[in-house]
Amino acid sequence: VQQSIDTNNVHIVSADVSTPEGITAIVNALPPNACVKYLVHSAAFFAPIGPLIEMDNAQFREAMATNLEAPLFLTKALLPNLKRCATEATKPRVLHVSSGAAHNAYEGWGSYCITKAGFNMMYRVLAGELSHDNILVGSVRPGVVDTPMQDTVRGFNGDSLHFPMHTKFIDLHSQGKLECPKTVATYIYWMLKEINDDEFSREERDIRLSSKDDARWKEYLALNS
């Protein structure tokens, strides 16, 4: 991946995507009439671990703002830029970075599970609606990735009844079973650049299943790791 990207063309914009001002800052950072070919939604808010019923309004709203409102309204704000790239032959791609929490009710992760489930449904709705504009929307489940979020998960020191899966995440780390961030980034790049249109948007892809069953991904990873 590093060999394929000209880092001179990388421009970093610091913005809070959960706010209208942050979304405006991202849009304004683009050149006039810019064409956006790829958009990746990976920002997320992971609320303090504990019973959902004990969460306060502010924390829940922050989770909603970052995990649901931000990707929807950033996509909306960038829609004119996406449409500039869109033809029947070349379709821009919007990718949602999902989670197992979208499909499983983890005790202690209530707001994260709820918003990730909504994020998954957003992908499914937008995949249909934006297809009429020749824009593809896909979703990827990267697995349990070795990021600061996992530091927070393992550092939980509250009542074990409030987070029964705590030891599972400690064991994944101690056994070296966390996904490498570089591998996940390479997989996302591969999804954006290499797989066909139908595969990209038809269903959510799981990096762990691809690592077992997809010879193309295995070959790509071997060449780019």
Side-chain angles (χ1 to χ4, degrees), residues 190 210 214-225:
W190 176 73
S210 294
D214 197 319
R216 300 166 304 166
W217 161 239
K218 292 179 182 178
E219 180 181 2
Y220 186 87
L221 180 60
L223 293 172
N224 292 276
S225 59

Side-chain angles (χ1 to χ4, degrees), residues 42-49 67 97-102 106 108-109 111-113 115-116 142-156 163 166 169-170 173 178 181:
S42 61
F45 174 77
F46 185 71
I49 297 170
N67 300 353
V97 179
S98 186
S99 167
Y106 296 146
W109 289 20
S111 65
Y112 192 70
C113 292
T115 52
K116 281 297 186 179
V144 185
V145 188
D146 192 5
T147 65
M149 174 180 163
Q150 285 302 310
D151 295 336
T152 300
V153 170
R154 292 193 304 276
F156 172 74
F163 186 27
H166 186 212
F169 290 97
I170 292 175
H173 178 259
L178 298 183

Side-chain angles (χ1 to χ4, degrees), residues 45-56 59-64 67-68 99-119 149 153 156 161-165 169:
F45 174 77
F46 185 71
I49 297 170
L52 178 63
I53 202 68
E54 295 180 5
M55 173 170 281
D56 65 43
Q59 288 175 334
F60 191 79
R61 287 170 181 158
E62 187 170 0
M64 292 287 289
N67 300 353
L68 278 177
S99 167
H103 308 276
N104 299 281
Y106 296 146
E107 291 183 51
W109 289 20
S111 65
Y112 192 70
C113 292
I114 291 167
T115 52
K116 281 297 186 179
F119 187 47
M149 174 180 163
V153 170
F156 172 74
L161 291 176
H162 294 167
F163 186 27
M165 295 185 66
F169 290 97

Side-chain angles (χ1 to χ4, degrees), residues 67-162:
N67 300 353
L68 278 177
E69 294 176 20
L72 173 60
F73 293 115
L74 181 57
T75 298
K76 179 180 179 180
L78 291 173
L79 191 58
N81 306 87
L82 290 161
K83 286 182 175 180
R84 289 191 186 99
C85 293
T87 68
E88 187 63 36
T90 305
K91 300 177 181 180
R93 297 184 172 193
V94 179
L95 183 60
H96 288 205
V97 179
S98 186
S99 167
H103 308 276
N104 299 281
Y106 296 146
E107 291 183 51
W109 289 20
S111 65
Y112 192 70
C113 292
I114 291 167
T115 52
K116 281 297 186 179
F119 187 47
N120 177 264
M121 184 56 70
M122 185 191 304
Y123 137 67
R124 293 164 62 186
V125 171
L126 290 179
E129 292 181 350
L130 295 185
S131 67
H132 305 300
D133 294 311
N134 288 321
I135 297 169
L136 301 175
V137 183
S139 182
V140 60
R141 210 184 315 177
V144 185
V145 188
D146 192 5
T147 65
M149 174 180 163
Q150 285 302 310
D151 295 336
T152 300
V153 170
R154 292 193 304 276
F156 172 74
N157 60 2
D159 189 331
S160 61
L161 291 176
H162 294 167

